[in-house]
């Protein structure tokens, strides 16, 4: 899977749906975090609690979050949880199957955000397997 997608004119590659999304959002988060640090701290604690391994391992939780990102149409969520799912050891097939469930649950809109999620996942997976 390519880490770039065709633009609407189909003439040149556009950034993928992974790192470029996170890079775009990072300074925006930093700016807002300066204004509401306690809210971000609270969200960070919730995130830590939600993704602590229990009966479900972290990989499964990240795949669930990736699927929810698809259903919600949230490109930032997709990029963040695609990266985290790769880091947690999810395979391309596991990501594809989790995304496939979103087609059932969300229908047509998931067929748009699902490929974006898979592209983001593959982008991060490729980056972890590329020779240094």
């Amino acid at each position: 899977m390519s880490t770039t997608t065709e633009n609407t004119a189909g003439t040149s590659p556009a950034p993928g749906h992974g790192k470029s999304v996170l890079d775009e959002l990072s300074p925006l988060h930093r700016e807002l975090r300066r204004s509401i640090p306690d809210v971000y701290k609270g969200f960070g604690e919730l995130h830590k609690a939600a993704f602590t391994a229990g009966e479900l391992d972290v990989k499964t939780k990240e795949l669930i979050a990736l699927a929810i990102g698809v259903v919600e149409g949230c490109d930032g969520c997709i990029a963040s949880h695609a990266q985290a799912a790769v880091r947690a050891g999810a395979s391309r097939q596991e990501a594809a199957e989790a995304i496939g469930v979103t087609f059932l649950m969300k229908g047509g809109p998931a067929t748009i955000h699902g490929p974006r999620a898979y592209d983001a996942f593959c982008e991060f997976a490729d980056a972890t397997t590329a020779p240094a």
Side-chain angles (χ1 to χ4, degrees), residues 38-120:
D38 291 341
V39 174
Y40 269 85
K41 181 179 178 185
F43 182 77
E45 290 298 316
L46 176 60
H47 182 275
K48 180 180 174 183
F51 284 96
T52 297
E55 291 298 314
L56 293 177
D57 61 14
V58 174
K59 176 178 78 171
T60 301
K61 291 179 177 191
E62 288 296 350
L63 289 169
I64 291 169
L66 177 61
I68 291 170
V70 170
V71 168
E72 291 297 318
C74 176
D75 288 336
C77 302
I78 288 168
S80 177
H81 293 291
Q83 182 180 53
V86 167
R87 289 179 177 163
S91 70
R92 282 175 169 78
Q93 187 62 33
E94 289 170 325
E97 290 182 19
I99 293 165
V101 173
T102 69
F103 289 18
L104 168 68
M105 300 304 291
K106 187 66 171 181
T111 68
I112 303 304
H113 292 285
R116 291 177 179 168
Y118 191 67
D119 181 68

